[in-house]
């Protein structure tokens, strides 16, 4: 049955969707064939509401998504792995130490392959969508008795995983290795595993060297002395492949906060190298704000178009003139695009007020940390007034998970949002370089993705306030370069490379001119 038939009314499909809704809420979007009748399964698959993963397993999908759309798979990846392994092995398995550490340290990227060690099974590889896979093999001695559960998966504890992982983890995943070490309060937590049975002398030397590298000499000495007491002369070996750590010793144990701090320290020089020097904060506020206002139409058209709104120059100009009223214009009062345009107009001018405070000498990190709530309220105020968006959504950050279309990056969980944002505001306040504030502030805000909607627009507003703090001009991200922009964000979030984004923003800043912008856009 095709979608057009579904739109005409189909009681069988309605019944199937009610069943699917219950399963989706219970199993986080993952469905076994045995959970549905054959008729419902076929109907939901044919209409695109279910997508097959492996034999007998499906994930919930969107009928509008094309065959190459990865969103539904990446959104349900870990729920599928958890459900599939639990069904096959109960709790008689464990992810390998490396995969365990990636989960413990809040890595937000969907991995290409996860390795699972079982107590009993054959060795085989489960091929999954979009070049991902699950490698399963039996090795009873490598399934620890003291497993812990994370995201519904059986994994090693942080301390045991650090003891059992090999040297390549520190070379291939240095950020995760640093974060894992920071999550260990005291080296004594490692010694029970390192000294048990056949002593892990090589691992102990590696961990002692790692603690020396991250500037925790007392923890390194604690490991060396413990082995000396059992007549082993331990020589620390630094397993990291770079010159300096990205994290200072800290009492913070949140893997998400530690990740943001590591990203900032590891990337700031790359941004400085890719960006032109700051002109210096403007001493002529009226002139600077006039230049910002000059770019409003171009910015609104491009920023809204990047998010998928079909907004014309005519509509933008009507909003700017005050000729459009969401309460009195029957042609536009209920349309998504018109409401988005009105909200953007209101938010843009709220952002201008924030820039005025920064140009008057207020700390930029303090300003954006406080005022971004106001921008968001203005952005969605018209949609709330029209009854399209619930009023409660203006009250705060998202209350559940969210996923970025076709991205292998999954934003931080709801419970980590406040800590992550507080860390971002602190990093902005401590950062002396405006270019670093703007590029990393923009990226990390979008990386956190604190709202259900509007994160890209708020992130670009934030970027421009922070650019103003260094005297850089308001920068328009052109929709014609959306693919480059999205690839640059993905390179930072998934591959750990910030230079493409810094170079992209610098190019957009240098190349903007009103002559380059489209004058009329047909809806």
């Amino acid at each position: 049955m095709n979608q057009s038939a579904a739109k005409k009314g189909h009681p069988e499909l309605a019944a199937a969707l009610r069943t699917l809704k219950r399963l989706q809420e219970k199993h986080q979007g993952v469905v076994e064939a045995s959970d549905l009748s054959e008729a419902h399964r076929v109907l939901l698959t044919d209409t695109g509401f279910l997508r097959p993963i492996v034999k007998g397993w499906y994930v919930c999908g969107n009928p509008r998504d094309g065959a190459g759309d990865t969103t539904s798979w990446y959104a349900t990846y870990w729920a599928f792995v958890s459900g599939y392994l639990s069904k096959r092995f109960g709790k008689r398995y464990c992810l390998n130490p490396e995969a365990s550490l990636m989960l413990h340290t809040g890595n937000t990227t969907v991995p290409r392959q996860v390795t699972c060690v079982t107590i009993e099974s054959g060795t085989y590889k489960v091929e999954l969508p979009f070049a991902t896979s699950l490698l399963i093999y039996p090795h009873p001695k490598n399934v620890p008795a003291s497993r812990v559960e994370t995201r519904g998966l059986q994994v090693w504890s942080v301390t045991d995983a650090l003891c059992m992982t090999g040297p390549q983890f520190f070379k291939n995943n240095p950020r995760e290795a640093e974060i894992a070490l920071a999550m260990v309060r005291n080296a004594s937590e490692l010694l029970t595993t390192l000294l048990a049975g056949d002593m892990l002398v090589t691992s102990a030397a590696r961990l002692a060297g790692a603690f020396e590298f991250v500037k925790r000499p007392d923890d390194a000495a604690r490991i060396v002395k413990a082995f000396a007491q059992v007549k082993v002369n331990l020589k620390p070996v630094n397993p990291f492949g770079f010159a300096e750590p990205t994290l200072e010793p800290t009492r913070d144990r949140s893997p998400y906060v530690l990740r943001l701090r590591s990203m900032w320290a590891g990337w700031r020089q790359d941004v400085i190298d890719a960006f032109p020097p700051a002109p210096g904060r403007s001493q002529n506020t009226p002139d600077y704000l006039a230049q910002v206002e000059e770019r409003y139409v171009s910015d609104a058209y491009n920023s809204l178009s990047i998010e998928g709104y079909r907004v014309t120059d005519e509509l933008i100009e009507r909003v700017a003139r005050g000729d459009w009223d969401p309460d009195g214009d029957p042609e536009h009062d209920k349309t998504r695009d018109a409401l988005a345009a009105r909200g953007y107009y209101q938010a843009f001018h709220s952002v201008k007020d924030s820039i005025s405070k920064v140009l008057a000498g207020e700390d930029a990190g303090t300003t954006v940390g406080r005022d971004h709530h106001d921008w968001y309220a203005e952005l969605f105020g018209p949609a709330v007034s029209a009854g399209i968006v619930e009023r409660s959504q203006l009250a705060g950050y998202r209350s559940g998970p969210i996923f970025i279309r076709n991205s292998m990056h999954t934003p931080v969980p709801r419970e980590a949002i406040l800590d992550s944002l507080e860390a971002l505001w602190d990093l902005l306040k401590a950062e002396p370089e405006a270019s670093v504030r703007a590029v990393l502030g923009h990226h990390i805000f979008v990386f956190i993705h604190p709202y259900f909607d509007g994160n890209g627009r708020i992130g670009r507003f934030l970027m421009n306030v922070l650019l103003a703090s260094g005297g850089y001009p308001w920068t328009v991200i052109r929709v014609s370069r959306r693919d480059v922009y999205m690839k640059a964000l993905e390179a930072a979030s998934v591959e750990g490379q910030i230079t493409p984004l810094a170079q992209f923003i610098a190019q957009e800043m240098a190349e903007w001119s009103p002559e380059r912008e489209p004058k009329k856009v047909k809806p």
Side-chain angles (χ1 to χ4, degrees):
M1 188 189 85
N2 59 35
Q3 292 179 46
S4 60
K7 291 177 182 177
K8 295 176 182 177
H10 195 294
E12 291 85 357
L13 179 58
L17 287 172
R18 281 193 287 271
T19 301
L20 181 61
K21 184 176 184 294
R22 290 194 297 270
L23 293 172
Q24 178 177 318
E25 292 169 352
K26 184 178 180 180
H27 300 299
Q28 298 178 283
V30 178
V31 178
E32 285 189 76
S34 58
D35 292 331
L36 291 164
S37 69
E38 178 70 8
H40 280 180
R41 182 188 62 77
V42 171
L43 186 56
L44 291 168
T45 303
D46 287 348
T47 52
F49 288 103
L50 274 184
R51 290 175 176 256
I53 301 303
V54 295
K55 185 178 180 180
W57 291 84
Y58 300 80
V59 297
C60 296
N62 188 326
R64 292 175 294 180
D65 292 343
D69 193 295
T70 61
T71 307
S72 60
W73 170 235
Y74 291 157
T76 53
Y77 178 86
W78 286 112
F80 167 78
V81 173
S82 170
Y84 180 84
L85 292 177
S86 295
K87 185 74 172 182
R88 293 292 309 276
F89 308 110
K91 294 188 176 183
R92 296 170 64 79
Y93 77 91
C94 190
L95 300 192
N96 71 350
E98 292 77 13
S100 299
L101 285 176
M102 297 297 271
L103 284 175
H104 282 303
T105 57
N107 186 283
T108 59
T109 301
V110 172
R112 289 296 181 191
Q113 185 175 84
V114 170
T115 300
C116 168
V117 184
T118 64
I119 292 177
E120 69 274 322
S121 74
T123 297
Y124 55 96
K125 181 180 179 183
V126 181
E127 296 289 352
L128 300 172
F130 303 106
T132 57
S133 62
L134 188 57
L135 180 62
I136 298 172
Y137 70 91
H139 198 314
K141 291 184 178 180
N142 279 356
V143 178
S146 57
R147 300 183 293 281
V148 297
E149 189 171 296
T150 298
R151 293 196 187 183
L153 291 153
Q154 299 296 302
V155 298
W156 293 76
S157 68
V158 172
T159 51
D160 285 354
L162 276 170
C163 294
M164 301 304 294
T165 194
Q168 283 304 114
F169 185 81
F170 291 82
K171 294 286 194 299
N172 297 336
N173 304 282
R175 179 158 289 135
E176 284 70 26
E178 271 198 88
I179 293 169
L181 288 168
M183 294 172 71
V184 177
R185 296 181 63 179
N186 189 285
S188 60
E189 297 177 69
L190 302 165
L191 289 171
T192 301
T193 301
L194 292 173
L195 293 169
D198 296 330
M199 290 186 296
L200 302 175
V201 178
T202 303
S203 292
R206 183 163 55 247
L207 289 169
F211 277 122
E212 285 185 345
F213 175 76
V214 299
K215 302 178 183 178
R216 291 172 62 178
D218 290 347
D219 287 299
R222 177 80 178 88
I223 294 174
V224 172
K225 288 177 182 178
F227 273 79
Q229 290 169 348
V230 293
K231 311 303 181 186
V232 175
N233 182 21
L234 204 66
K235 184 177 180 180
V237 177
N238 178 12
F240 288 97
F242 50 92
E244 293 291 332
T246 62
L247 286 170
E248 295 291 334
T250 176
R251 292 179 179 271
D252 205 313
R253 299 289 177 257
S254 165
Y256 301 100
V257 170
L258 292 168
R259 179 171 299 277
L260 298 188
R261 291 180 179 170
S262 175
M263 288 161 61
W264 197 283
W267 285 347
R268 66 180 306 275
Q269 190 58 50
D270 293 335
V271 175
I272 293 169
D273 292 343
F275 226 77
R281 185 176 297 182
S282 175
Q283 301 301 307
N284 191 327
T285 297
D287 279 0
Y288 188 94
L289 293 178
Q291 292 172 5
V292 170
E293 186 66 37
E294 179 188 32
R295 301 188 180 198
Y296 162 69
V297 171
S298 174
D299 189 70
Y301 166 77
N302 283 282
S303 192
L304 288 167
S305 297
I306 283 172
E307 303 303 328
Y309 294 97
R310 295 175 63 83
V311 180
T312 65
D313 283 349
E314 178 189 6
L315 174 59
I316 291 170
E317 290 165 4
R318 290 183 63 197
V319 168
R321 291 195 308 266
D323 294 345
W324 181 85
D325 179 359
D327 297 319
D329 189 333
E331 183 180 352
H332 295 293
D333 64 350
K334 292 287 186 177
T335 68
R336 171 180 177 268
D337 297 341
L339 292 167
R342 178 62 188 177
Y344 200 88
Y345 175 79
Q346 295 177 180
F348 182 90
H349 286 86
S350 181
V351 173
K352 276 183 63 180
D353 291 341
S354 299
I355 290 176
S356 296
K357 298 169 192 173
V358 170
L359 296 181
E362 187 172 278
D363 175 76
T366 299
T367 301
V368 299
R370 179 194 62 228
D371 289 0
H372 74 284
H373 295 293
D374 299 331
W375 310 340
Y376 184 80
E378 296 291 356
L379 193 64
F380 288 97
V384 169
S385 298
I388 294 174
V389 172
E390 292 183 10
R391 194 177 295 110
S392 60
Q393 285 198 25
L394 299 184
Y397 305 117
R398 58 181 164 86
S399 57
I402 194 171
F403 302 96
I404 303 171
R405 180 161 292 279
N406 291 319
S407 174
M408 293 186 77
H409 162 65
T410 53
V412 303
R414 176 191 60 80
E415 60 271 18
I417 290 173
L418 289 178
D419 287 344
S420 298
L421 285 174
E422 286 177 7
L424 173 58
W425 312 141
D426 289 343
L427 288 163
L428 288 172
K429 292 172 191 175
E431 176 55 54
E433 293 289 338
S435 59
V436 177
R437 290 195 294 267
V439 175
L440 296 189
H442 169 53
H443 172 68
I444 288 178
F445 185 87
V446 176
F447 183 91
I448 297 168
H449 238 65
Y451 296 114
F452 276 119
D453 194 10
N455 295 285
R457 282 163 282 171
I458 297 295
R460 290 186 288 277
F461 283 147
L462 183 144
M463 175 190 77
N464 273 302
V465 174
L466 297 171
L467 285 173
S469 72
Y472 294 107
W474 184 285
T475 296
V476 176
I477 305 296
R478 291 170 288 176
V479 68
S480 61
R481 301 193 70 202
R482 182 184 188 279
D483 287 348
V484 181
Y485 174 52
M486 300 307 291
K487 286 177 182 177
L489 287 170
E490 189 81 346
S493 296
V494 175
E495 300 166 23
Q497 301 295 323
I498 197 63
T499 298
L501 182 62
Q503 290 176 337
F504 173 82
I505 294 172
Q507 290 166 1
E508 292 297 271
M509 183 174 64
E511 294 178 9
W512 184 87
S513 70
E515 291 75 21
R516 296 178 67 98
E517 298 305 317
K519 296 300 181 186
K520 293 295 177 184
V521 182
K522 294 182 179 180

